[in-house]
Amino acid sequence: MEKNQGSSSSKSSGPQRPSQRKMIGAKAMRINEDEGARLVGSIVEKGISGKPPAPSSAPQPTVLPFPVARHRSHGPHWSPFGSKMGGGNDKKGADNSDSDDGEDMDLTGFDQIAAFANPIERKQKKGLDLSNWRELVPNDNSLLPAEKKDKVLLAELKEQNNKGKTTENADKRKMSSYAALADADVLNPKEMNVESGLNSVAANMELDKLDPVPDIARAQLEIVESMRPRLVEVQKNQGQVNMEEQSHMVPGSENFGIDQGSMTLESQIDAENRAQLERMSHEEIAEAQAEIMEKMNPTLLKMLKKRGQDKLKKQKCSGSDLATNGQLHNLQDENQLTQDTKGFSVVESDDSHMVTETASKDAQRGQDNVALQNSGPGNSGLWNAWSERVEAVRDLRFSWDGTVIENDFGQVSKTDNNSVRSGYNADNVTERDFLRTEGDPGAAGYTIKEALALARSMVPGQRALAYHLLASVLYKALDNIHRHQVGYTMRSVNNSGVFIDWEAVWAYALGPEPELVLALRMSLDDNHNSVVLACAKVIQCVLSCDMNEYFVDVSERLATCEKVVCTAPVFRSRPEIELGFLHGGFWKYNTKPSNIFPLSEDIMDAKSEEKLTIQDDIVVAGQDFAAGLVRMGILPRIRYLLETDPTVALEECMISILIAIARHSPTCANAIIKCERLVQTVVGRFAEKDKMGVYPSKIKSVTLLKVLAQSDKKNCIEFIKSGIFQDATLNLSQCPLSLDQWIKSGKENCKHASALMVEQLRFWKVCIQYGYCVSYFGDFFPAMHLWLNPPTFEKLIENNVLNEFAAITTEAYLVLESLARRLSNFSSQKHISELVDDDKETWSWSHVGPIVNIALKWMAFKTNPDISRFFDQQKGIESNSVHKDLSMRPLLWVISATMHMLSSVLKRVTPEDTISLPESGGLLPGLPEFVSKIGLEVINNSFLSFPGVNDKEYGTDPSAGCSFIEELCHLRHHGDYEISLGSTCCLHGLVQQVVSLDNLIQLAKTEIQTPSFQGHSFAKEGKVLEDGVLKWSLIELKTGLITFMKLVTSEWHYLQSIEIFGRGGPAPGVGLGWGASGGGFWSKTVLLAQTDAELLIHLLEIFPFLFSEDIPLDEDMTFTIQRINSALEVCLTLGPRNRVTMEKALDILLQVPVLKYLNLCICRFLHLNKEIKQFGWVYQEEDFLIFSKMLASHFRKRWLCVKKKFKAVESKSSSGQKASTKGSESLDTIPEDMDISNTTIQDHDCPSLLVEWAHQRLPLPVHWFLSPISTIHDGKHTEPPSNSNIQNLVKNPTDFLEVARGGLFFLLGIEAMSSFLSSDVPSPVRSVPVIWKLHSLSVTLLDGMSVLEEKKSRDVYEALQELYGQLLDESRVHRSTKPTPETGEKNSIEFLRFQSDIHESYSTFIETLVEQFAAISYGDLIYGRQVAIYLHRSVEAPVRLAAWNALSNARVLELLPPLEKCSADAEGYLEPVENNEGILEAYVKSWVTGALDRAATRGSVTFTLVLHHLSSVIFEDDADVKLSLRNKLAKSLLRDYSRKRQHEGLMLQLLRYNKQFASPQPEWMKEGETEKRFRFLTEACEGNASLLKEVEKLKSSFRQDQ
C-alpha cells in the first residue's frame, strides 16, 4: 500500500532523483505502531537539514490504510532537521540519513536556532465584531467625552504618583512576579475568591507598586483595570501536542494549559494580580486598600469607584458592553448563559434542557412603547442583548440537513468550549473521514465557521459538501423566519424541545466574522462544476431568490400599484433637532451606491488599484451582501459561466442571482446593463433554447429583462429598439394552440408554458406602462383570445391545470387594464388614436367594446354554472363532485383582474373636468353601450344586494341570498392567505367599478334606456341605475366598511414592530425582509394589511363627512369617530408604494368637515373634563380653511417628500468618482447633498417603475401627527440651506405660526376624539407615549412666544398641558402599583427617559429651552409650567439635573410657577424622595450661591422641591441616602448659614417644613420632631466646634421666632 502511494506521489510531482528512493529501505528511522497510526493520514513535509535522513523501514499497517487529504495550511508545520517530527523518538535518524538528498541539506545554518522555533498559531478572536453593522446606525457618542476625560485624568494622576519613585531592581521584582504567577493556581475559577469593584482595582494598583510590571503594562493601567479575567484554553489533540510543547504551558495545571505565546499582555497581568490576591489574607487586603486610599488622589478614587460600579451593573444586565468607539465587543465568556432581545434564556444542565422565559427590562420597555423602542443604538441594552443572541450561534453545530445537533447544543459548560469538547474545530475539520468518524463524518455536526473552513479544503468533494451544509442551514433559517409572525421574537423549537434563534443564525452567517461573502466569491472561480453549483445555491439562498420572487409574483397580481419596491437593505437617518428629534427620518442605503463601483473604467490605473483592498470589499459586503458581491466582480464571472455552456441547474442559479441583483437597486440593475456582453449572453442563450422547449432558465431570462426594464425607461427603449423585446415575446405572436392541444401537452409542459407566457405578458405590460408597444395589441390578441374566455372547467380540473390556465388569464386581463389606462378620455373630441407625447402611444376605443363583452362573461355568475359552482361550494351548497375540493384562489384572481380592467375603462369614460361639459344641463354627450351592460351585470348577478330587485330569486335563505360583496367579506377571513388577498382585490375592483359606474350615470342624468333581452324587462334594474347604485347599496357598503375598519385596527401595529435599531430588519445584507421575523416589510401579513388599508380608503371616500350645525346623534358621532380613527390607522400601515393612498388619507383627515367634527369632540371633552377650563371663544370657518390648507401642505412636505440628487452634483460625476478613490474612508458616510421635492408616484412620464426604500420616509412613525408643533423655524434664515431637511417646510414665520396653530388644534382634536373610543380599540393617538407629547410641546417654544401670544393657541396649549399632566399622573400611579412580570418588583418611577428614548444629547436641548425661557418669557405661567415638567420625579435623573443646573446658572429659578400651578399632581414632583447625589448637591449649591433666594420669596416650585427633598434626606431616618452624604449636605448648609445671615429664614423654613402628603401631627409630636431635627444637625457636625456653634445659634433663633 505504501509503495503504491509512493509511486503515485512521484508521478504527480514529475521526475525524481534516484537518491530519494533510498529512503524507503532505510533502517535508522523506525516508527512504532502508535506513532505510525498518528502519522498516516497527514501530509508530512520535509524539513531543512545539512545531512539527509537515513532510509527507514516501511510503516506497519494501521486502521488507516490510506492518507486523508487535507488543506496544506492545517499542518504539520515545517520542522527543522534534527527535531522530532511526528513525535518520533529515534535519535539516530539524523546520523544515518543518506547524504545524496540535496533538498534536505542545511545551507544556511538554520539548525542552530531550530530549538527556539515555534509553530505559527492562528490569532484567536475573543468576540464577535459587529462594527460593520453598528457603523450604519447613529452611534451613541454621548459618553465619549467623559471616557476620554477619565483616561486623561487617570494618566495625569498616575504620572504624579509615580514621580520620584526609583526603578532599581525592577527586573528582579518582575521575575518574582512572574514566578508567583507560575506557582499560583489561577486555572481553577471555582477556587478563586477575588474582590470586585474598587477592591480589585486597589489591589491591582498595590501590586503595581510592590511588583512592577513592564513599562508597557504600567502605561496601560486603565486597560488592565477594565479587563475581565479570561482563561485562554488550548486544545490538546491526540498526536498534536508533544511533551516538548508542554514546556510552554504554565506549570501546575493538570487539565488545562495556558499558552503564554497566545495570551495577551492584559491577561498575563490580570492573572498575576489575581495570583497575588490569592496569597494575601483578608486582613492584608484590607490593610493594602486602606494604604492605597490614603495615598490616592480623592478625585481618582471617586472616578474609579464610579467606573467599578458601572462595570458591575453592566455585567449584571448583560454580558457584553459597548466600547466608546461604537463597536460591539463581547466581554463575556462564550459559554455563559445565552439571552435574546426579549429576555428568553436557555438554561441547560447535564440532565435536561430547561427553557426559562424571563422578560428583560428592555423587553418590558418595548411592550410599553412598541413603535418607538427601535430608536437606535442609543439604548445599549438592545445592542447588548442582540450581540449575545448572535454570539450564541458561534457554537451551534448543524447537521447536513441544517438542523441543530442537540447533544453539542446542550453540552456546553462554563469551563469548556463546544469545539474543544467535541474534538473538532476549524483547523482540523478537513480530517474527518468515514474511518475516523466511524462511518458518519457529520455526526458531530459543523459550526458555520467550520463549514467555511471545510469549503477551503483541497478536496473538491469536501468543498461541495461544505456549501451544501451552508445552503441547508440558510434555507432552514430562512424558512423558520418566514414562518414566524411579523414582530414575533420567540425562537423556534426543534424536535427535541430546544429553542433555536434562527434570526440570530441568519445574522451571524451574513455577518462580518465568518466572511461568507469572500468564501463564496472565491468559490465561484473554482474549477470544479460541483463546487461552483453548490456555491451558487448558497448565494441564491442568501439573496432569498425564491421567496422574494413569490412575494413579487403575488404583489404584481394586485393591479393597485404599477411599481415594484427595491430589495436593497436600508436604515433610518438620525433624528435631527430641526425636526424636533422625531423618528421616521429618511431611509438610507446600508452602503453608498458609489461604494458598489469605487472606480470607473476611465480613471482606473495602477495607483488607484493599490488603494482598493479586499478589506474594503468585505466592509461593503458586511453592510450589504448583494452590493459586496457586485463590488467583488460577480457579474463578469456570471457572464463567463454562462458563456461556457453551463449545466441547466447552474444556468438557472446564475440567472436567479442576476434577477436578485437587478431587484436590489437601480445601481445594481445599471451594473448588469453596463456589464459587457452580459445581457446579450442571456438573450443569446434564450434564443438557443427557443427550439428546445421551455426551461426554467428561459422563464427566468424573460423575468430578468422585465426587471431591467422596470429599473429604467431607457433600458426598456433599448430593448425595443434592439429587438430584444420582440425575441423575448415571440411566443405571443405565434399561431395559438387550442385548449385541447395545450392540455394534451402534459402537466409539466403546461406549467412551464404558463409561467413563460405570464412573464412575457408582464414584460409587455411594463412597456405599456411606459407608453410603448401599445400597437402590439393587434399581433398579440389572437394568442390572448384563448385565455380571455371562460373555459370548460371540468377539463382543466381533471388534468390539474386550472391554476396554470387562470394564471395566464389573470395576467392577460392585467395587461388589458394597463392598455385601458392608455385610452384617451372618451368625453374629448379626439376619439381616434392620438399621441399623448412624441413617443407615447394610446389604445384605440374600437378595441374596447369586444374586450368588455368578453370580460362580462366572467361576471355572469348566474348564467355560467361553472363559475357559480365555485361560490356554491363556499356556501355549503351541494355541487358537482368535481368542484368539491377545488380552491377559490385562481378564480378570485381572474375576477379581480377583470373588475380592475372594467374599472379602468369606466374611469377613462368619465370626464376629467366636469366644468367643461356642455351647458345643456351639464350632461354628457352620450354614454357607450357597454356602460349600461356593466351596470346590468352588477345588478343581476347580485354583486350588491338591492332590495326588491334580486331578493325574489333567492327567497329568504341567508346562505343563498347573500350578495357577492358579502361573500367576499366572508372570504377575507379565510385561513388561506391568497384567498384572503384575492377577495380583498376583488372587493377593491368591485368598489371602484361601482363608484365609476354611479358617477357616469349621475353625470348623464338621462333616463336610462334599459334594453330587453329574450323577452325579459329590466325596468327595476333601470330604476336602480337611474337612482344610483351606491344609493341602493349604502347599507351593505357600510357593513363592508365596518368590517375593514376592524381589520385595519388589528393590523396597523405590525409595521410599527418591524424596525430594529433603526433598520428595516435585524441583519444588514439581503434576504426576505432583511432577516426580520415573518419577512418584515416583505411579509404576506404586511402586504395584506396594506391592501386592506387601500380598500378602506376607497370605502371611506364613498361615505363623505357631512357636518351639520345640529347636534349629531350619538350613533352618528360614534361612526364618524371610528372613521377618523381608521384613517389615522391607515397612515401607519402604508409603505413606499402607497404614497397616492397616503395622500388620499391625509385629504380625508384634513378636510374641513372632519376638522369641524374634531372641534365638536374638543367641546364635548372639555365639558366632561372639569379640570380643564372651557374656551371662551369659538373657531370660525376661516380658521378651519386655513388649518386644512396649512396642515395638508406641511404633512405632504414633511412625510411624503422624496430626496433627489442635485443636477449639479450629478454633472460632476468625474470629480465624484475621483473623490471616491481615496480609500476606505469613503465607506463611512453617506452624503446628504439631496434636494427635497414633492413628486407624484402616478406619473406616466417617470423614468422608472422601481420604488426605492431609500430617500423617503414611509412607513410613518406612530407619532407623525406631532410634526406641526415639532418643527423648528429659524427666523434668521428665511431660506434654509439646500441640504437641510426643513427646506420648503415653512416659507416664512407667518406660515410657521399658522402651521403650529393648526397642529395644536389637530392634536387636541384627535386627543379628544380618542377619549371617546372604547378602551378595547387600540388607538394610534393613545399608543404614543406621553413623553413624546410633552417633548413636542417644548419644541414649539424654542421658536419663541408667538404661539403663546395668540389667544386661541395659548388656550389650546394650556389644555394640552393639563391633559398630558393627567396622563402623566395615570402612568405614574399605574407604574407604582403594577409589578414587573419578571421580578415582581415595582416599576421604575423614572419612566420619562428623554435622554434614552428621544436623543442622547437631550441635555443640550434643555439648556437651549431654558435660555429661551430666561430671555423672552418674563415668567410666563404657561412657559414656566412646561419647563417645570422636567423637574418632575418621573423624569430620568440626568435630564432633571441638566434642567436644574440650566435654571440655576441662568438665575431664573424664581420664574417657575408655584407647585400648585404646575402640570400634573404635586405628589409627582415630590415623591419619592430624591436619592440622586448629583441632584441633591445641585440643590445645595443653588442654596449656597443664592440662586434660590428670590425663588423662596415668590414661592416657586423650585424652592418647594429643595425644601422637601433636603428636609427628607437630612431629617429622616429612612432616607435612601448614605450617612456621609447626609452629613455633607448638612455641613454645607450650616457653613452657608454662618457666612450669610440673610439665609437664616431659609434654614428656619427647612426646619419647620412638613411634608405636604404626610398625615397631620399633634403639637407634642411636632415639638419632638423639632428636637429630633436639631439632633440630626448636631450629629452631622461630627464634633466640629464651629458648626456646633451655628447649630446653637440656629436653635436660639428658632425659639425666638416661635
Side-chain angles (χ1 to χ4, degrees), residues 1211-1281:
S1211 63
K1212 299 179 181 180
S1213 57
S1214 60
S1215 61
Q1217 290 168 345
K1218 291 180 180 179
S1220 64
T1221 63
K1222 294 181 179 180
S1224 59
E1225 295 179 358
S1226 61
L1227 303 178
D1228 296 336
T1229 59
I1230 296 179
E1232 293 292 345
D1233 50 349
M1234 299 287 184
D1235 184 20
I1236 298 178
S1237 60
N1238 189 17
T1239 60
T1240 304
I1241 196 170
Q1242 292 285 42
D1243 184 5
H1244 292 285
D1245 296 330
C1246 60
S1248 175
L1249 293 178
L1250 288 182
V1251 177
E1252 298 181 75
W1253 272 93
H1255 314 318
Q1256 57 88 39
R1257 299 179 185 270
L1258 298 179
L1260 297 181
V1262 70
H1263 55 247
W1264 65 274
F1265 50 82
L1266 298 176
S1267 61
I1269 62 174
S1270 299
T1271 303
I1272 299 176
H1273 173 259
D1274 188 1
K1276 299 179 182 179
H1277 303 90
T1278 57
E1279 291 294 334

Side-chain angles (χ1 to χ4, degrees), residues 540-785:
Q540 190 177 7
C541 176
V542 171
L543 299 178
S544 304
C545 295
D546 296 335
M547 289 190 176
N548 281 339
E549 286 304 307
Y550 171 74
F551 178 85
V552 174
D553 175 71
V554 173
S555 62
E556 288 189 353
R557 297 185 225 162
L558 300 182
T560 56
C561 186
E562 299 180 358
K563 298 198 173 185
V564 181
V565 184
C566 297
T567 61
V570 291
F571 69 100
R572 292 275 195 183
S573 58
R574 291 177 60 89
E576 301 178 5
I577 179 59
E578 294 86 358
L579 302 178
F581 292 139
L582 293 185
H583 295 168
F586 283 106
W587 291 98
K588 304 169 69 175
Y589 285 118
N590 275 14
T591 185
K592 293 188 297 183
S594 59
N595 288 337
I596 302 178
F597 299 102
L599 294 175
S600 60
E601 296 180 358
D602 55 343
I603 62 172
M604 180 70 71
D605 53 14
K607 185 176 181 180
S608 60
E609 286 184 357
E610 292 178 357
K611 296 182 179 180
L612 299 178
T613 63
I614 296 179
Q615 185 61 33
D616 294 337
D617 300 341
I618 296 176
V619 169
V620 174
Q623 298 169 344
D624 190 331
F625 201 95
L629 287 174
V630 176
R631 181 184 172 99
M632 292 179 180
I634 190 176
L635 297 180
R637 181 59 183 174
I638 291 177
R639 179 194 62 200
Y640 171 78
L641 293 174
L642 293 176
E643 290 175 343
T644 55
D645 194 17
T647 61
V648 176
L650 181 58
E651 181 182 13
E652 182 181 355
C653 287
M654 292 293 102
I655 300 180
S656 296
I657 294 172
L658 288 177
I659 294 173
I661 294 175
R663 293 194 185 281
H664 176 272
S665 62
T667 303
C668 288
N670 189 37
I672 296 177
I673 293 293
K674 291 186 176 181
C675 184
E676 187 178 0
R677 304 192 316 275
L678 180 56
V679 176
Q680 291 76 7
T681 302
V682 174
V683 175
R685 295 196 62 80
F686 177 87
E688 292 177 3
K689 293 181 178 293
D690 187 58
K691 300 180 180 179
M692 302 171 57
V694 181
Y695 291 93
S697 59
K698 188 174 182 180
I699 301 170
K700 293 180 182 295
S701 299
V702 180
T703 304
L704 175 61
L705 296 175
K706 177 196 68 176
V707 176
L708 293 176
Q710 287 175 330
S711 66
D712 197 338
K713 184 172 66 174
K714 297 180 181 178
N715 299 338
C716 182
I717 298 174
E718 182 63 27
F719 291 159
I720 298 173
K721 291 182 178 179
S722 61
I724 293 178
F725 170 77
Q726 293 80 353
D727 295 339
T729 58
L730 185 62
N731 295 353
L732 297 180
S733 59
Q734 293 178 349
C735 296
L737 298 176
S738 65
L739 183 61
D740 294 335
Q741 291 175 337
W742 183 72
I743 294 176
K744 289 180 181 179
S745 63
K747 165 70 176 178
E748 194 66 22
N749 187 69
C750 290
K751 181 179 179 181
H752 291 311
S754 173
L756 177 61
M757 191 170 183
V758 166
E759 291 303 322
Q760 289 173 334
L761 289 172
R762 289 176 177 174
F763 190 13
W764 183 28
K765 183 174 66 176
V766 170
C767 298
I768 294 173
Q769 290 169 349
Y770 284 125
Y772 307 112
C773 298
V774 177
S775 59
Y776 281 77
F777 174 77
D779 299 331
F780 294 163
F781 181 74
M784 295 172 57
H785 186 268

Side-chain angles (χ1 to χ4, degrees), residues 137-138 341-342 362 365-366 369-379 382-383 572-573 575 583-584 587 1054-1065 1081 1332 1396-1397:
V137 184
T341 306
K342 296 298 180 182
D362 290 328
R365 184 188 308 177
N369 182 11
V370 175
L372 303 177
Q373 67 177 354
N374 305 320
S375 58
N379 187 358
L382 294 176
W383 277 99
R572 292 275 195 183
S573 58
H583 295 168
W587 291 98
Y1054 286 135
L1055 275 81
Q1056 302 300 319
S1057 62
I1058 293 176
E1059 294 184 35
I1060 298 180
F1061 309 130
R1063 293 200 185 101
F1081 293 123
W1332 282 102
S1396 302
D1397 295 344

Side-chain angles (χ1 to χ4, degrees), residues 1376-1410:
S1376 62
T1377 58
K1378 181 181 178 180
T1380 56
E1382 70 272 13
T1383 61
E1385 300 177 356
K1386 294 183 179 180
N1387 289 283
S1388 174
I1389 191 61
E1390 297 180 359
F1391 58 88
L1392 295 182
R1393 297 179 287 267
F1394 290 96
Q1395 184 169 316
S1396 302
D1397 295 344
I1398 294 182
H1399 203 272
E1400 61 271 12
S1401 60
Y1402 202 83
S1403 299
T1404 304
F1405 173 83
I1406 291 294
E1407 294 174 359
T1408 306
L1409 179 66
V1410 172

Side-chain angles (χ1 to χ4, degrees), residues 1103-1307:
F1103 297 89
F1105 292 86
L1106 302 176
F1107 183 79
S1108 175
E1109 297 297 335
D1110 299 334
I1111 300 177
L1113 299 176
D1114 292 340
E1115 182 180 355
D1116 296 337
M1117 191 68 181
T1118 302
F1119 182 60
T1120 302
I1121 291 175
Q1122 291 175 350
R1123 286 186 289 162
I1124 298 175
N1125 186 67
S1126 297
L1128 289 171
E1129 294 170 344
V1130 167
C1131 293
L1132 297 176
T1133 308
L1134 301 176
R1137 280 200 313 187
N1138 314 115
R1139 288 183 63 244
V1140 173
T1141 307
M1142 176 66 74
E1143 292 179 355
K1144 293 180 179 179
L1146 291 177
D1147 291 338
I1148 292 174
L1149 283 173
L1150 302 176
Q1151 57 182 304
V1152 173
V1154 173
L1155 297 181
K1156 290 182 178 180
Y1157 269 110
L1158 294 179
N1159 184 45
L1160 182 59
C1161 292
I1162 292 174
C1163 295
R1164 290 192 176 185
F1165 175 74
L1166 296 179
H1167 178 73
L1168 296 176
N1169 196 329
K1170 302 301 182 181
E1171 298 182 6
I1172 304 177
K1173 69 177 183 179
Q1174 301 267 346
F1175 296 156
W1177 43 263
V1178 293
Y1179 283 111
Q1180 304 299 325
E1181 185 73 19
E1182 301 79 30
D1183 296 325
F1184 295 120
L1185 291 173
I1186 294 175
F1187 291 164
S1188 177
K1189 177 183 177 181
M1190 300 304 298
L1191 290 178
S1193 176
H1194 167 80
F1195 283 129
R1196 279 181 169 84
K1197 294 176 181 178
R1198 176 67 170 84
W1199 298 112
L1200 301 184
C1201 62
V1202 178
K1203 274 187 176 182
K1204 288 187 177 181
K1205 289 186 177 180
F1206 287 121
K1207 296 181 179 179
V1209 176
E1210 293 177 351
S1211 63
K1212 299 179 181 180
S1213 57
S1214 60
S1215 61
Q1217 290 168 345
K1218 291 180 180 179
S1220 64
T1221 63
K1222 294 181 179 180
S1224 59
E1225 295 179 358
S1226 61
L1227 303 178
D1228 296 336
T1229 59
I1230 296 179
E1232 293 292 345
D1233 50 349
M1234 299 287 184
D1235 184 20
I1236 298 178
S1237 60
N1238 189 17
T1239 60
T1240 304
I1241 196 170
Q1242 292 285 42
D1243 184 5
H1244 292 285
D1245 296 330
C1246 60
S1248 175
L1249 293 178
L1250 288 182
V1251 177
E1252 298 181 75
W1253 272 93
H1255 314 318
Q1256 57 88 39
R1257 299 179 185 270
L1258 298 179
L1260 297 181
V1262 70
H1263 55 247
W1264 65 274
F1265 50 82
L1266 298 176
S1267 61
I1269 62 174
S1270 299
T1271 303
I1272 299 176
H1273 173 259
D1274 188 1
K1276 299 179 182 179
H1277 303 90
T1278 57
E1279 291 294 334
S1282 59
N1283 62 345
S1284 174
N1285 284 342
I1286 62 173
Q1287 182 184 11
N1288 297 327
L1289 289 182
V1290 288
K1291 296 181 179 180
N1292 53 60
T1294 305
D1295 291 343
F1296 165 77
L1297 177 60
E1298 295 298 335
V1299 170
R1301 290 180 60 240
L1304 289 172
F1305 164 77
F1306 186 73
L1307 179 57

Side-chain angles (χ1 to χ4, degrees), residues 871-1028:
F871 298 96
D872 292 341
Q873 175 191 353
Q874 297 296 323
K875 298 173 185 177
I877 303 176
E878 291 187 6
S879 59
N880 194 332
S881 60
V882 180
H883 299 78
K884 281 188 177 180
D885 298 328
L886 192 61
S887 175
M888 285 286 297
R889 285 182 290 179
L891 185 61
L892 283 175
W893 287 119
V894 174
I895 296 175
S896 171
T898 304
M899 289 185 173
H900 278 92
M901 189 274 294
L902 294 175
S903 174
S904 297
V905 171
L906 293 176
K907 287 180 181 179
R908 301 307 298 164
V909 177
T910 306
E912 297 178 353
D913 186 9
T914 58
I915 300 178
S916 61
L917 291 177
E919 297 181 357
S920 57
L923 306 179
L924 287 173
L927 291 178
E929 183 181 356
F930 59 77
V931 174
S932 59
K933 289 183 180 180
I934 295 174
L936 290 176
E937 290 295 337
V938 170
I939 298 173
N940 293 330
N941 289 282
S942 301
F943 278 42
L944 297 167
S945 61
F946 302 99
V949 178
N950 52 15
D951 55 349
K952 61 182 180 179
E953 183 172 345
Y954 290 98
T956 57
D957 185 5
S959 63
C962 64
S963 63
F964 183 56
I965 190 172
E966 185 178 350
E967 181 64 28
L968 291 177
C969 291
H970 172 71
L971 291 176
R972 170 57 186 83
H973 296 85
H974 197 279
D976 186 86
Y977 162 71
E978 288 200 27
I979 290 180
S980 299
L981 189 60
S983 61
T984 304
C985 293
C986 282
L987 277 170
H988 199 171
L990 176 59
V991 170
Q992 288 183 328
Q993 181 179 333
V994 170
V995 171
S996 300
L997 181 66
D998 193 72
N999 291 337
L1000 280 174
I1001 296 176
Q1002 295 304 316
L1003 286 174
K1005 289 186 179 180
T1006 59
E1007 183 179 355
I1008 304 299
Q1009 302 294 332
T1010 58
S1012 299
F1013 298 102
Q1014 299 178 358
H1016 296 283
S1017 176
F1018 297 96
K1020 292 184 179 180
E1021 290 82 352
K1023 179 64 175 175
V1024 173
L1025 292 177
E1026 184 178 359
D1027 294 342

